Amino acid sequence: MRKTVRLRAAGAAVVTAAALLYPGTAEAAVTTASFTDYTFTATAATLPDVRRIVRDDVAAAAGLTGKGVGIALIDTGVVPVAGLTSGNVANGPDLSLESQVPGLLRRDTYGHGTHLAGIIAGRDAAGGTFKGVAPDAKLISLKVGAANGAVDVTQVMAAIDWVVAHRNDDPANPIKVLNLSYGTDSTQSWVSSPLSEAVENAYLAGISVIVASGNTGGNILNPGSNPYIITVGATDPRGTTSTADDTVASFSSMGTSQDNAPDVLAPGRSIVSLRDPGSYADVNYSSARVGDRFFKGSGTSQAAAVVSGATAVLLQKYPTLSPMQVMCYLRATGTPVTGSYAPQINLQTAIRSTLTSCGQSGSTITGTGSIQKDRGSSQVTMGDGVALTGERDIFGPLSSSAWAAASAARTSWKGGDWMGRPWTGTGWAGSTDGQGNWSGKAWSGKAWSGKAWSELAWSGQTWSGKAWSGSGGTAPNWSGAAWSSTGWLTAGDKGWMS
């Protein structure tokens, strides 16, 4: 049987077809596992539930667990709670506004990154039962978001460039997937947007970029409009592991037409993953705790994490797939969802299929537009009201055209410097708490107005995971809406490679 799909155009003149051949019963017999659909509490979808919904359990029964695939998570960091300390998680550089604050380096003070890391690649040590979608993938965390959500678009651009520069540093686990649950409400064209250019450069480097569509219930956010990355919307499983009753989650940004809709969907309502005790989300949404160890959260962030894990599983099966072929596989083998142009991913079908054609063409991106326009209504502000605005990063003036040329040439990072300014160290520090750690402070901690990072306040909406289940608290809008190559292998700490 042959199936054809058309990828979303996202404002570009794109004409794309993907064709896949589905195998006969002989191959199906070795890749299919039995499963039983069952009902669970409608407000708490555990990871075993989620894995059944996207048929990750079938892939695992076939020995596909993401092994050999590196996944970069650009988010709020991770903490070494059980499930993230069994050797497959490492902390990359901390580019956040908390990186100069003692005790906060690399640590997740919000709770968002830890939650997503559990979904993507969490796994217990021997004897435990908790597993993410790709429990044998290697996850590297890059912290950019602070406890109050504060992050500038230039910090995200720097983090993406770092992932590209270091994608092949661990030959056993090359970074092939990047999870970015971040977006702004910028109306700047994806063709000129610097943030869009950053994710496309990762795509061109062979990395499948998975981006949350947003939790606005309307248009997808920037950079989700770039047609070369995989933009993810969220479904509501409605209390069962059967996909027949799944609907689009009410908060999920879905666009207005097939051309600007997300590429795929995945479960995103009330997903139970790892709790980050004492974090912003944990303190302000205590009713979302599930026992002492877990926490439930909703958003296209959670859905994107499911797809990132699934992408690693698919790449273990087909390691030579290009990022565009990954998109074609996930779309062409997905399960239709009522009211959506995008299908929900289905790994059982994906691992039984053979791609026969896939292609996309569109406008040529420049990335030389305005950094300020890319911020949209999102900006970081000092406690005294001084905002980071204009064509600059956290240290000073930044030319988007100069950055675009350096990013495309993969020269924006040199040692610990990004675009000529020191942002981080150049190698691994010692492993602690079961996680390898990138080296620490490299700059003064003074911002655009000379104030310490600890004085920062948050204004605007940026990140993609707002809809934490539970009540109480006024959170930043975590809703689905919002370094060169030296030192990695020579710093003496092999935590990332183990």
Side-chain angles (χ1 to χ4, degrees):
M1 179 175 68
R2 185 178 296 269
K3 185 175 182 179
T4 301
V5 298
R6 182 179 184 275
L7 301 184
R8 65 185 170 82
V14 179
V15 180
T16 304
L20 294 100
L21 297 178
Y22 298 90
T25 55
E27 182 175 347
V30 298
T31 59
T32 302
S34 61
F35 60 88
T36 301
D37 286 322
Y38 62 98
T39 300
F40 57 84
T41 303
T43 59
T46 67
L47 281 181
D49 300 328
V50 171
R51 295 178 66 216
R52 287 174 183 247
I53 291 167
V54 301
R55 301 307 183 229
D56 183 52
D57 58 334
V58 176
L64 301 174
T65 57
K67 186 175 180 60
V69 179
I71 303 174
L73 172 63
I74 297 176
D75 214 278
T76 60
V78 299
V79 291
V81 293
L84 298 176
T85 58
S86 62
N88 68 328
V89 176
N91 293 293
D94 186 341
L95 306 183
S96 77
L97 303 175
E98 292 176 339
S99 62
Q100 308 302 298
V101 181
L104 301 186
L105 183 67
R106 296 182 295 266
R107 292 298 189 245
D108 180 8
T109 51
Y110 194 102
H112 189 266
T114 298
H115 199 259
L116 298 195
I119 295 171
I120 296 170
R123 71 180 187 197
D124 281 341
T129 60
F130 179 81
K131 288 183 180 180
V133 177
D136 290 330
K138 194 82 177 196
L139 186 142
I140 183 167
S141 165
L142 282 83
K143 179 179 175 179
V144 293
N148 59 358
V151 62
D152 187 60
V153 67
T154 56
Q155 292 167 273
V156 178
M157 290 159 54
I160 297 168
D161 282 355
W162 190 94
V163 170
V164 172
H166 292 273
R167 68 195 184 282
N168 293 321
D169 285 354
D170 179 1
N173 301 281
I175 297 174
K176 294 186 176 182
V177 183
L178 190 163
N179 188 101
L180 184 63
S181 294
Y182 170 88
T184 74
D185 59 2
S186 170
T187 58
Q188 186 166 213
S189 167
W190 71 270
V191 175
S192 58
S193 161
L195 179 58
S196 181
E197 166 82 350
V199 294
E200 186 157 326
N201 286 338
Y203 162 88
L204 292 171
I207 299 171
S208 291
V209 182
I210 316 298
V211 175
S213 69
N215 293 350
T216 67
N219 288 330
I220 60 177
L221 302 178
N222 179 43
S225 56
N226 186 305
Y228 295 100
I229 64 176
I230 300 172
T231 303
V232 182
T235 59
D236 181 349
R238 298 175 64 84
T240 74
T241 58
S242 169
T243 58
D245 60 356
D246 290 359
T247 61
V248 175
S250 59
F251 54 78
S252 182
S253 298
M254 297 298 293
T256 57
S257 69
Q258 185 172 6
D259 285 346
N260 62 18
D263 294 296
V264 294
L265 306 176
R269 181 189 171 204
S270 296
I271 307 302
V272 178
S273 184
L274 297 173
R275 175 188 169 209
D276 181 358
S279 64
Y280 184 98
D282 184 58
V283 171
N284 288 279
Y285 296 92
S286 58
S287 62
R289 296 173 188 166
V290 180
D292 293 331
R293 185 182 179 193
F294 300 107
F295 196 89
K296 59 183 178 180
S298 299
T300 54
S301 292
Q302 283 71 18
V306 173
V307 174
S308 290
T311 298
V313 170
L314 184 63
L315 284 168
Q316 182 187 356
K317 169 75 173 180
Y318 302 113
T320 62
L321 291 182
S322 70
M324 181 53 61
Q325 289 173 324
V326 168
M327 182 191 294
C328 289
Y329 254 103
L330 294 177
R331 283 190 58 92
T333 61
T335 303
V337 175
T338 301
S340 171
Y341 294 110
Q344 182 160 246
I345 62 168
N346 184 326
L347 280 173
Q348 179 178 15
T349 309
I351 64 174
R352 295 176 54 200
S353 306
T354 302
L355 189 71
T356 61
S357 66
C358 176
Q360 175 137 284
S361 61
S363 303
T364 300
I365 195 169
T366 66
T368 58
S370 167
I371 293 171
Q372 177 60 23
K373 287 182 178 179
D374 254 7
R375 293 184 178 110
S377 64
S378 304
Q379 63 183 29
V380 286
T381 306
M382 284 295 180
D384 57 5
V386 177
L388 175 55
T389 59
E391 305 307 302
R392 59 179 299 146
D393 62 17
I394 58 178
F395 292 110
L398 177 65
S399 163
S400 61
S401 58
W403 166 81
S407 180
R410 302 171 188 169
T411 59
S412 61
W413 277 101
K414 293 182 179 179
D417 294 356
W418 185 67
M419 295 304 294
R421 300 186 183 100
W423 279 57
T424 189
T426 58
W428 286 100
S431 294
T432 56
D433 302 315
Q435 297 173 345
N437 293 312
W438 194 256
S439 60
K441 302 178 182 180
W443 38 283
S444 67
K446 298 298 183 181
W448 53 95
S449 65
K451 300 298 179 65
W453 296 131
S454 57
E455 298 179 57
L456 286 166
W458 173 245
S459 102
Q461 46 186 315
T462 305
W463 281 86
S464 295
K466 172 184 180 180
W468 289 107
S469 301
S471 59
T474 302
N477 196 5
W478 275 95
S479 91
W483 2 302
S484 174
S485 59
T486 61
W488 189 300
L489 302 182
T490 59
D493 174 20
K494 303 302 182 182
W496 166 245
M497 297 190 66
S498 63

